[in-house]
Amino acid sequence: MFNPFKPLELIETEVFMTMPAKFRKKSQSTWSRPNRQGGEIECFLEGPSFDRDGNLWFIDIHNGRIFRISTNADGVKDWELVTQYEGWPNGTKFHKDGRLFIADYKEGLLALDTKTGKLEQILRTAHSEGFKGLNDLHFASNGDLYFTDQGQTGIADPTGRVFRLSADGRLDRLCDNVPSPNGITLTTQEKHVYVGVTRSQQIWRLPLMLDGTISKTGVAVQLSGGVGGPDGIEMDAENGLLVCQLGVGIWRFDSNMLPTHLIHSPDHKHHHLANIAFGGPDLKTLYITESMSGDILVAKTPFAGKKLYGHA
């Protein structure tokens, strides 16, 4: 008999790698002063993504750094600083041409040539209007890019935006009333866009019409608790949704948006598990950025991640 309220399955994380000491130094930055309430921090890791060769890429917003973890011929993993620049990189996703696209809070939409380390400006403004502060992004299978413009928006200023940059260069604003849009993804059939709305503790569902517009946007999940709302999100191959909730861990909701699993870290009491990427040969290993500690965590899952555009 179907039971929509069966007990959650708990999955514990392990530390995959931790930031080497040579990359650590407590400091303040123009990003950390408003976003970490003036505290000195060593890093703020976000935006994990895998390239086609299985290398894990991620960023450090606080210091404007882009890192890669690769494995050499002897099986030794290496933590490499690829580039550092005067920006605040946040979300990342790979294009199928090999470029790493970056939602940068300060600089807009960027692309990194992973072979040369050169950054390219893709989009600095929306029709000459500056962005509030880009957060995360996701490619559809046709190359359209969906991204969130979060800035400092919230309940008292619900003016965050969701955009789509089509593969032919057209920019559409899908929403402009979101109280802190954060993580973003598409369902496996690409009929809905999901957005993590941090300050209202919600996941919004945006149905995509045949002409590409949205209609009947609603709340798919209402969260509570934690020290913050949803951050990074991603779909799995079964149309389940994984949601990073600050202070709690990572929820997994099934295709009916009912909770089935909670992924948590017994070693990170603040649970700043901010963003995720599926990896491994079967896409059943979840890699997680624990922002404040500088740790990359892993968890084995009974469900596989959906295949992304950059790996098509």
Side-chain angles (χ1 to χ4, degrees):
M1 181 177 179
F2 172 66
N3 177 11
F5 302 107
K6 62 183 180 181
L8 281 175
E9 295 184 40
L10 297 179
I11 301 175
E12 287 192 0
T13 65
E14 298 178 353
V15 175
F16 171 64
M17 290 192 77
T18 189
M19 178 181 281
K22 64 181 179 180
F23 295 129
R24 294 177 179 269
K25 182 181 178 182
K26 280 193 173 182
S27 64
Q28 287 188 349
S29 69
T30 50
W31 177 86
S32 69
R33 290 187 190 101
N35 290 288
R36 303 310 307 165
Q37 295 178 309
E40 289 193 337
I41 60 175
E42 294 180 338
C43 62
F44 197 90
L45 301 188
E46 259 274 16
S49 289
F50 281 94
D51 63 23
R52 287 188 178 181
D53 296 325
N55 301 310
L56 177 61
W57 296 70
F58 53 94
I59 57 85
D60 168 23
I61 305 175
H62 173 55
N63 295 292
R65 300 185 290 191
I66 301 175
F67 290 100
R68 173 177 57 200
I69 293 178
S70 54
T71 306
N72 65 21
D74 298 323
V76 177
K77 294 179 176 60
D78 182 40
W79 187 299
E80 176 188 0
L81 174 60
V82 176
T83 190
Q84 185 169 11
Y85 68 103
E86 291 296 322
W88 302 332
N90 202 321
T92 71
K93 284 294 186 298
F94 273 95
H95 192 280
K96 67 178 181 180
D97 65 12
R99 289 180 296 167
L100 181 66
F101 274 62
I102 302 160
D104 187 292
Y105 192 101
K106 182 180 180 182
E107 298 296 328
L109 187 62
L110 308 175
L112 175 73
D113 184 325
T114 59
K115 293 183 174 61
T116 66
K118 183 180 178 181
L119 284 165
E120 172 190 1
Q121 187 89 56
I122 302 297
L123 203 60
R124 183 65 183 268
T125 64
H127 308 301
S128 78
E129 178 188 26
F131 292 117
K132 294 173 181 291
L134 301 192
N135 186 291
D136 213 347
L137 67 175
H138 193 89
F139 279 107
S141 60
N142 65 354
D144 289 354
L145 181 62
Y146 293 77
F147 60 94
T148 54
D149 186 22
Q150 180 186 40
Q152 297 292 305
T153 63
I155 290 291
D157 176 24
T159 59
R161 301 179 293 185
V162 177
F163 288 94
R164 177 180 57 220
L165 179 65
S166 65
D168 62 10
R170 187 183 70 252
L171 183 66
D172 297 312
R173 187 170 61 199
L174 303 182
C175 284
D176 58 7
N177 64 327
V178 193
S180 194
N182 197 318
I184 187 167
T185 189
L186 277 75
T187 54
T188 56
Q189 298 300 314
E190 301 190 342
K191 292 183 178 180
H192 297 87
V193 181
Y194 283 98
V195 178
V197 183
T198 304
R199 306 305 166 204
S200 65
Q201 289 269 30
Q202 294 171 329
I203 305 296
W204 285 14
R205 181 194 288 118
L206 285 59
L208 287 169
M209 302 294 102
L210 292 177
D211 63 359
T213 60
I214 62 168
S215 181
K216 296 183 179 180
T217 294
V219 175
V221 177
Q222 179 67 63
L223 299 169
S224 63
V227 298
D231 198 326
I233 64 175
E234 189 54 272
M235 304 298 301
D236 64 32
E238 301 171 17
N239 233 24
L241 180 69
L242 284 87
V243 177
C244 299
Q245 185 184 11
L246 304 180
V248 178
I250 301 164
W251 297 98
R252 192 264 180 175
F253 298 91
D254 65 17
S255 59
N256 202 29
M257 294 297 114
L258 295 174
T260 63
H261 297 75
L262 178 62
I263 301 165
H264 68 108
S265 171
D267 301 318
H268 296 83
K269 63 180 181 179
H270 297 299
H271 273 83
H272 214 106
L273 282 60
N275 217 328
I276 51 178
F278 282 99
D282 57 2
L283 293 181
K284 287 188 174 182
T285 304
L286 193 65
Y287 291 77
I288 308 153
T289 50
E290 211 292 331
S291 297
M292 300 294 291
S293 67
D295 289 341
I296 305 293
L297 311 179
V298 292
K300 296 292 185 181
T301 61
F303 39 81
K306 77 167 186 175
K307 192 171 184 179
L308 299 181
Y309 173 76
H311 299 153

